């Protein structure tokens, strides 16, 4: 059988045959009004992950979509795809949290619905989990990353926010906001059951928690392409990001991260 034929057979088996063993990998995709790209994204992820030859599951964590996203995903009826539906829009952080906490895989990836970082980059991150890391962050800033289509405004804002994060939080990951991160199951369960921020800054909070809880964190350069059709207002998101920085600090001071470890672990 040719390589293409073998990959197609694996894809068809994943689509039609429910897993018997537990999944090795769970892929979590947060989605809000993604009717124009959710199906191509599912197709790309399913093709690559199935061809790897390991049991895996896909979780679409809807965030209160008002378009056809939910019905499109439901109509697929894929055997190993789960759809988590939210009654209302609560933010990307909330959607990712629900998906990560529901995941059953030994490894848990969350990736953005626009596939700005192609799913083929998963293998780079998985190699570092095999090397002993607990959390691996895809990065657009690490040496060796390739970035296409990012506007000048977004580049300037990103650099400024990275400086604030590095100096104010001591996080060594240079790109906290790339929507492509891989976790061991234990790390995912603890970090996301503790994480509180519902907006775009949840990535920063998770990495902040990981640092203080002693998880081994690595950063991997990835390919990133600014997907057309994004509705993200970079300036508005950046202001929210700065507000969330203060909120994370306040959460620590008030002991709101107790579910993770004793609050005294959260030093300055």
């Amino acid at each position: 059988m040719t390589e293409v034929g073998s990959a197609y057979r694996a894809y068809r088996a994943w689509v039609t045959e429910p897993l018997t063993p537990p999944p090795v990998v769970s892929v979590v995709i947060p989605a809000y009004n993604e009717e124009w790209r959710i199906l191509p994204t599912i197709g790309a992820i399913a093709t690559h992950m199935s061809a790897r030859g390991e049991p895996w599951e896909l979780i679409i964590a809807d965030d209160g979509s008002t378009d056809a996203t939910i019905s499109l995903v439901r109509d697929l009826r894929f055997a190993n795809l789960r759809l988590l539906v939210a009654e209302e829009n609560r933010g990307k952080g909330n959607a990712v949290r629900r998906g990560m906490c529901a995941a059953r895989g030994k490894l848990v990836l969350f990736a953005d619905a626009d596939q700005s970082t192609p799913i083929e980059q998963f293998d780079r991150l998985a190699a570092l989990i095999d090397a002993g890391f607990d959390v691996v962050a895809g990065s657009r800033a690490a040496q060796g990353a390739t970035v296409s289509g990012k506007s000048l405004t977004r580049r300037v804002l990103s650099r400024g926010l990275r400086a604030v994060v590095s100096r104010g939080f001591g996080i060594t990951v240079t790109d906290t906001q790339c929507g492509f991160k891989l976790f061991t199951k234990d790390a995912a369960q603890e970090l996301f059951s503790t994480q509180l921020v519902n907006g775009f800054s949840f990535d920063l909070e998770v990495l902040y928690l990981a640092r203080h809880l002693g998880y081994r964190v690595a950063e991997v350069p990835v390919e990133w392409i600014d997907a057309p059709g994004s509705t993200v207002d970079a300036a508005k998101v950046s202001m929210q990001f700065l507000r969330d920085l203060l909120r994370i600090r306040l959460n620590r001071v008030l002991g709101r991260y107790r579910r993770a470890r004793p609050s005294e672990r959260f030093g300055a």
Side-chain angles (χ1 to χ4, degrees):
M1 182 180 292
T2 66
E3 183 175 346
V4 173
S6 178
Y8 179 73
R9 183 175 179 180
Y11 167 80
R12 288 301 305 167
W14 182 83
V15 166
T16 59
E17 301 172 12
L19 291 179
T20 300
V24 172
V25 181
S26 297
V27 179
V28 175
I29 307 294
Y32 176 67
N33 289 349
E34 297 285 359
E35 63 180 7
W36 292 107
R37 51 191 172 193
I38 193 62
L39 296 185
T41 292
I42 291 173
I45 292 173
T47 299
H48 179 76
M49 296 303 296
S50 298
R52 296 183 78 251
E54 296 176 323
W56 74 284
E57 66 175 354
L58 177 60
I59 299 173
I60 305 297
D62 178 68
D63 188 26
S65 294
T66 57
D67 64 358
T69 299
I70 294 172
S71 61
L72 287 171
V73 175
R74 277 181 175 156
D75 287 348
L76 290 175
R77 302 181 185 278
F78 286 177
N80 298 296
L81 184 159
R82 287 192 283 158
L83 172 66
L84 308 181
V85 178
E87 294 181 0
E88 60 184 3
N89 177 244
R90 295 180 179 175
K92 182 180 178 182
N94 182 276
V96 174
R97 182 190 307 127
R98 290 186 292 111
M100 299 297 277
C101 289
R104 299 175 296 150
K106 295 179 181 178
L107 303 181
V108 189
L109 174 80
F110 86 75
D112 285 342
D114 61 10
Q115 278 280 281
S116 290
T117 301
I119 189 62
E120 288 78 10
Q121 303 293 295
F122 171 84
D123 302 339
R124 285 190 182 186
L125 278 64
L128 283 180
I129 295 288
D130 291 341
F133 288 94
D134 306 297
V135 180
V136 184
S139 175
R140 300 160 293 185
Q143 185 174 4
T146 59
V147 177
S148 303
K150 196 172 188 179
S151 69
L152 177 61
T153 300
R154 292 187 69 170
R155 290 199 299 269
V156 171
L157 288 171
S158 294
R159 287 173 188 154
L161 293 176
R162 286 171 195 153
V164 171
V165 169
S166 176
R167 293 172 185 172
F169 284 77
I171 295 175
T172 57
V173 173
T174 55
D175 181 7
T176 61
Q177 301 309 113
C178 181
F180 202 80
K181 294 181 176 68
L182 183 64
F183 302 77
T184 63
K185 182 177 182 178
D186 288 345
Q189 290 292 318
E190 181 169 26
L191 294 172
F192 283 91
S193 65
T194 306
Q195 173 258 334
L196 300 172
V197 172
N198 285 334
F200 280 91
S201 310
F202 77 94
D203 303 75
L204 168 65
E205 186 183 32
V206 166
L207 292 173
Y208 174 74
L209 291 169
R211 171 178 175 260
H212 284 281
L213 295 177
Y215 286 108
R216 295 189 63 196
V217 180
E219 183 175 23
V220 174
V222 294
E223 176 186 348
W224 187 88
I225 303 168
D226 193 12
S230 174
T231 58
V232 174
D233 183 325
K236 182 178 179 181
V237 168
S238 296
M239 291 304 297
Q240 181 63 53
F241 186 84
L242 293 174
R243 288 193 292 269
D244 285 341
L245 293 181
L246 298 176
R247 184 174 293 114
I248 292 167
R249 284 287 193 185
L250 182 61
N251 287 340
R252 176 187 62 80
V253 170
L254 295 178
R256 292 173 178 166
Y257 293 127
R258 290 175 186 164
R259 290 186 63 187
R261 299 283 173 87
S263 59
E264 58 266 22
R265 289 292 305 277
F266 293 85

